[in-house]
Amino acid sequence: GENVEQHPSTLSVQEGDSAVIKCTYSDSASNYFPWYKQELGKRPQLIIDIRSNVGEKKDQRIAVTLNKTAKHFSLHITETQPEDSAVYFCAAGGGTSYGKLTFGQGTILTVHP
Amino acid sequence: GAGVSQSPSNKVTEKGKDVELRCDPISGHTALYWYRQSLGQGLEFLIYFQGNSAPDKSGLPSDRFSAERTGGSVSTLTIQRTQQEDSAVYLCASSFWSNQPQHFGDGTRLSIL
């Protein structure tokens, strides 16, 4: 089955800096890669996603890049703000286990004012 | 409804008891997913439904776990003879179709004494 590795496990940045979180996946058939933000005690919220026919997608301060050959994808947050502090999860889906998402272990992002 | 609704929000029960968790997906969403999140961990896939069928139930940890969905809407996850290791937050998500963006509910926090 699919296996998703996420790094780093914790990330601390100053307000205004950029943050990058990286994930690798194992199933070359996976074709859908969402990112979720989860604040303490809250539900995971979808912030951006990308499909395998696209190399990059951007939404305001957030961007995701995908390298199918290397089987890795990354989340980029620019001009970070304290309210960006949360746990971020990457996931992969649509492969041999069509429908389900396999999640990474999460990255705790802390943005210091 | 406006979002995925789960009940109860919290459940405390004694070891050995059976529990039933409920998920009401977003109206019109045909796919429904159950995940489990242990404290400080990522999301672990349990089962997903497309309509009333469960194409993938590979994540169910043991035969004490079962789920059903009737009428293509509400789903229930049942855990029989609960064990302490079943303590976790059980999250439900729904999407318009399989391999489409998944939207999560607030979860049920299950505590086994």
Side-chain angles (χ1 to χ4, degrees):
Chain A
E2 176 66 276
N3 182 52
V4 177
E5 298 286 338
Q6 183 172 347
H7 299 281
S9 56
T10 61
L11 181 59
S12 183
V13 300
Q14 290 296 126
E15 183 176 0
D17 288 350
S18 295
V20 180
I21 302 170
K22 299 182 180 182
C23 291
T24 61
Y25 61 99
S26 61
D27 184 355
S28 57
S30 289
N31 60 16
Y32 177 61
F33 307 92
W35 286 87
Y36 286 85
K37 175 184 181 182
Q38 188 176 32
E39 297 178 27
L40 191 62
K42 300 288 183 63
R43 69 178 72 182
Q45 290 200 309
L46 179 67
I47 55 172
I48 196 167
D49 58 7
I50 192 168
R51 295 199 179 267
S52 58
N53 58 344
V54 175
E56 183 174 359
K57 185 176 179 181
K58 190 173 182 179
D59 182 4
Q60 299 182 1
R61 296 186 297 109
I62 293 173
V64 58
T65 58
L66 171 66
N67 183 326
K68 283 191 299 182
T69 303
K71 289 190 281 189
H72 68 70
F73 57 112
S74 301
L75 177 71
H76 304 253
I77 307 174
T78 58
E79 300 172 26
T80 53
Q81 301 167 2
E83 50 265 40
D84 294 331
S85 297
V87 182
Y88 290 80
F89 293 97
C90 64
T96 51
S97 300
Y98 189 81
K100 85 178 203 185
L101 292 176
T102 301
F103 284 83
Q105 287 303 297
T107 296
I108 302 172
L109 174 64
T110 304
V111 181
H112 298 283
Chain B
V4 177
S5 178
Q6 293 188 246
S7 62
S9 54
N10 284 282
K11 177 72 176 178
V12 181
T13 192
E14 294 179 345
K15 176 182 171 182
K17 300 285 189 184
D18 296 352
V19 295
E20 192 171 276
L21 313 180
R22 176 188 167 105
C23 174
D24 199 342
I26 293 171
S27 178
H29 279 193
T30 64
L32 184 149
Y33 313 79
W34 285 99
Y35 295 88
R36 179 168 72 173
Q37 187 174 31
S38 300
L39 189 63
Q41 299 296 309
L43 285 78
E44 174 191 6
F45 169 80
L46 298 178
I47 185 172
Y48 98 91
F49 293 89
Q50 177 57 56
N52 293 333
S53 301
D56 190 343
K57 53 181 76 173
S58 62
L60 294 177
S62 73
D63 59 8
R64 296 187 295 105
F65 288 71
S66 63
E68 65 175 16
R69 188 182 188 197
T70 55
S73 182
V74 172
S75 175
T76 55
L77 176 69
T78 301
I79 310 173
Q80 296 179 310
R81 305 181 302 282
T82 51
Q83 304 294 312
Q84 287 189 330
E85 60 263 29
D86 299 335
S87 296
V89 176
Y90 289 80
L91 289 160
C92 176
S94 70
S95 64
F96 180 72
W97 195 262
S98 296
N99 209 34
Q100 294 294 310
Q102 297 182 22
H103 301 276
F104 283 85
D106 287 331
T108 294
R109 183 174 299 278
L110 178 63
S111 300
I112 309 299
L113 303 178

